[in-house]
Amino acid sequence: MPIYHSLGAIPKKRHTAFRKPDGRGIYAEELMGHEGFTGTSSLLYHIYPPTTIKSVRRLRETAYESDCDRALRHRHFKTAQIPQVQPDGSPTLDRVPLLFNADIAMLYVEPDVNHTDPHFYRNAQGDELVYVAKGQGVLESVYGELPFHEGDYLVIHRGILHRYRFDSGGDQPKFLVFESRGHVRWPRRYRNEFGQLKEGAPYSERDIRIPRELRTHDQAGDFQILVKQYEGLTELILDHHPCDVVGWDGFFYPWAFNINDFEPIVGRIHQPPPVHQTFQGDGFVICSFCPRPFDFDPNAVPAPYNHSNVDSDEVLYYASSEFMSRKGIEYGSITLHPDGIPHGPHPGRAEASIGAKETKELAVMMDTFRPLHVAKQALPVEDGNYFRSWIEAGTGFNPPTS
Ligand SMILES: [Fe+2]
């Protein structure tokens, strides 16, 4: 994240003695960053060393299992049919894997709004990009408090200890979670050589939200930390509250960007999906399809043309609960259009779209550059007839936009 930020108290020079009040010694400095000592990083100052672990135990395995049926076809899953988690359902432990490959996994969870995990969570094997389809609350982390609400993308880089706290009485939370092996970042073409977002990029630094309030816990005791690594969860017991940071500065921290702050790029004729790109990863991109005016040439065909997405699998999550006029597709639907089969508008929809002035759609798209596996847990909520919908839908079925 190429924005420098500082919160709380830090010493004037890095790697120098930062003394606690009343002669209680010095604060414990910790560098946290990616790519060793060369990527983005931050320096944090703890009351207690972050290393005082009392015990460890392997808690559970999390390796994803793929559907045995590998017949190539377009697929459709309905997250609304995923059973809601039970009371005390966890935003970190009760995620349902849907799609995955070696670069990225997509998971879904509807945690209990009145539940806060007793543990803190850290993903050591991937960045987490969490799309908040519903819900509001605060992301607690060693970097401070980051409030979130509907439409937010939360970017939680690997290694960052965190916990979700929901607003009681708020909406039932619905999270679409992406786990990325590579570092989630702004698309390269949006940045100038200095790292600043360019004029013409669909968002700017003002749209990025950073933790602004630091809550420092000076508390001894047993604190449970769950770390995801080696395709599983390990429990660590720390002898003090892990959020004991009095100050930090740097470029590595959790941040938020709301999909409604994405400024759509439109044209006289149809613009291809890359204009909707929001994030870049290794082996995938994430795009945001937002309400916008349609193409303004009188003969423009706003519906997307048929296309063979050679070298990529396309996944769309339909994110609007207010605008769901598409027959067959519902709020929370996820479609997978794999490499190897063309896709496009349903019969009659290209003609019907001519002259349309605007769309109120809201969708999150993931394009992967390696084929995806369908997770076994996605099969109970699959619409198995979707691949035939281009011949069965007639003219009543609007097309996906990607
Ligand atoms: Fe597409």
Side-chain angles (χ1 to χ4, degrees):
M1 169 53 63
I3 304 176
Y4 174 81
H5 190 58
S6 176
L7 198 59
I10 56 173
K12 184 168 183 293
K13 294 284 287 184
R14 59 184 172 175
H15 317 321
T16 60
F18 181 26
R19 301 190 186 283
K20 299 176 183 175
D22 307 324
R24 293 194 298 142
I26 64 173
Y27 290 106
E29 185 182 50
E30 177 194 14
L31 182 134
M32 185 185 295
H34 73 285
E35 296 179 7
F37 293 86
T38 59
T40 56
S41 64
S42 289
L43 285 168
L44 302 97
Y45 296 88
H46 296 268
I47 295 173
Y48 303 98
T51 49
T52 51
I53 294 166
K54 293 177 67 174
S55 65
V56 301
R57 73 181 168 115
R58 186 76 166 176
L59 204 63
R60 68 160 76 163
E61 304 308 308
T62 60
Y64 307 134
E65 289 185 79
S66 63
D67 176 16
C68 299
D69 181 359
R70 303 300 303 277
L72 183 67
R73 60 198 187 275
H74 296 321
R75 304 183 75 160
H76 174 206
F77 308 95
K78 298 181 174 183
T79 61
Q81 293 183 3
I82 293 176
Q84 288 198 353
V85 296
Q86 301 302 309
D88 289 338
S90 163
T92 53
L93 298 181
D94 291 311
R95 299 171 175 180
V96 179
L98 301 173
L99 301 165
F100 65 96
N101 65 17
D103 301 315
I104 190 160
M106 174 188 277
L107 307 94
Y108 184 80
V109 63
E110 295 190 10
D112 180 357
V113 69
N114 296 311
H115 170 81
T116 300
D117 282 341
H119 60 269
F120 291 88
Y121 173 75
R122 172 191 292 149
N123 192 331
Q125 62 181 46
D127 281 17
E128 293 199 351
L129 175 63
V130 177
Y131 178 72
V132 182
K134 281 284 182 192
Q136 57 272 338
V138 171
L139 182 74
E140 304 172 358
S141 79
V142 291
Y143 291 90
E145 305 233 318
L146 180 61
F148 64 83
H149 58 277
E150 182 174 328
D152 275 348
Y153 292 103
L154 300 174
V155 182
I156 308 165
H157 298 297
R158 71 205 55 217
I160 293 179
L161 191 82
H162 64 279
R163 182 166 68 178
Y164 296 93
R165 192 175 75 234
F166 300 108
D167 289 354
S168 60
D171 293 328
Q172 165 62 51
K174 300 175 189 288
F175 284 2
L176 187 69
V177 180
F178 303 91
E179 290 182 333
S180 165
R181 291 280 182 183
H183 196 63
V184 174
R185 52 203 185 270
W186 298 340
R188 179 107 194 137
R189 68 180 187 281
Y190 293 169
R191 293 174 275 157
N192 62 26
E193 65 175 300
F194 308 100
Q196 185 179 11
L197 288 165
K198 299 176 187 174
E199 288 288 326
Y203 52 88
S204 78
E205 284 84 355
R206 293 186 194 182
D207 300 317
I208 305 302
R209 307 202 318 277
I210 297 170
R212 297 285 177 185
E213 183 185 355
L214 196 58
R215 286 197 183 177
T216 306
H217 298 267
D218 184 352
Q219 187 179 351
D222 290 352
F223 287 85
Q224 185 187 32
I225 295 171
L226 301 186
V227 181
K228 184 166 187 179
Q229 181 63 291
Y230 311 140
E231 311 297 345
L233 290 172
T234 294
E235 177 199 72
L236 311 177
I237 300 296
L238 196 68
D239 73 353
H240 62 273
H241 197 299
C243 295
D244 64 340
V245 170
V246 298
W248 63 270
D249 76 332
F251 290 72
F252 189 87
Y253 45 79
W255 51 280
F257 170 72
N258 194 277
I259 195 169
N260 296 305
D261 286 325
F262 188 91
E263 302 302 331
I265 295 170
V266 299
R268 195 173 71 175
I269 56 172
H270 189 79
Q271 298 294 298
V275 300
H276 306 289
Q277 189 180 350
T278 312
F279 301 102
Q280 178 179 336
D282 292 345
F284 73 94
V285 297
I286 301 290
C287 300
S288 304
F289 290 82
C290 298
R292 62 193 183 279
F294 263 143
D295 323 324
F296 47 87
D297 187 281
N299 285 315
V301 180
Y305 33 81
N306 296 297
H307 58 283
S308 291
N309 37 305
V310 178
D311 291 335
S312 73
D313 280 12
E314 291 188 8
V315 180
L316 266 176
Y317 170 75
Y318 293 85
S320 173
S321 59
E322 286 78 40
F323 178 71
M324 287 315 307
S325 64
R326 290 193 179 121
K327 189 178 176 185
I329 297 289
E330 60 184 37
Y331 173 47
S333 282
I334 291 174
T335 56
L336 165 62
H337 298 147
D339 185 6
I341 314 174
H343 65 277
H346 284 89
R349 300 311 300 170
E351 293 87 338
S353 71
I354 296 171
K357 298 299 182 192
E358 63 173 355
T359 175
K360 294 181 179 175
E361 69 180 0
L362 191 68
V364 174
M365 187 173 80
M366 172 180 78
D367 277 11
T368 67
F369 306 142
R370 288 198 271 191
L372 285 161
H373 299 274
V374 173
K376 281 185 175 176
Q377 289 91 333
L379 300 180
V381 300
E382 180 171 18
D383 163 16
N385 291 319
Y386 178 66
F387 73 93
R388 283 194 291 263
S389 62
W390 281 262
I391 59 171
E392 294 177 348
T395 58
F397 196 109
N398 276 337
T401 50
S402 70

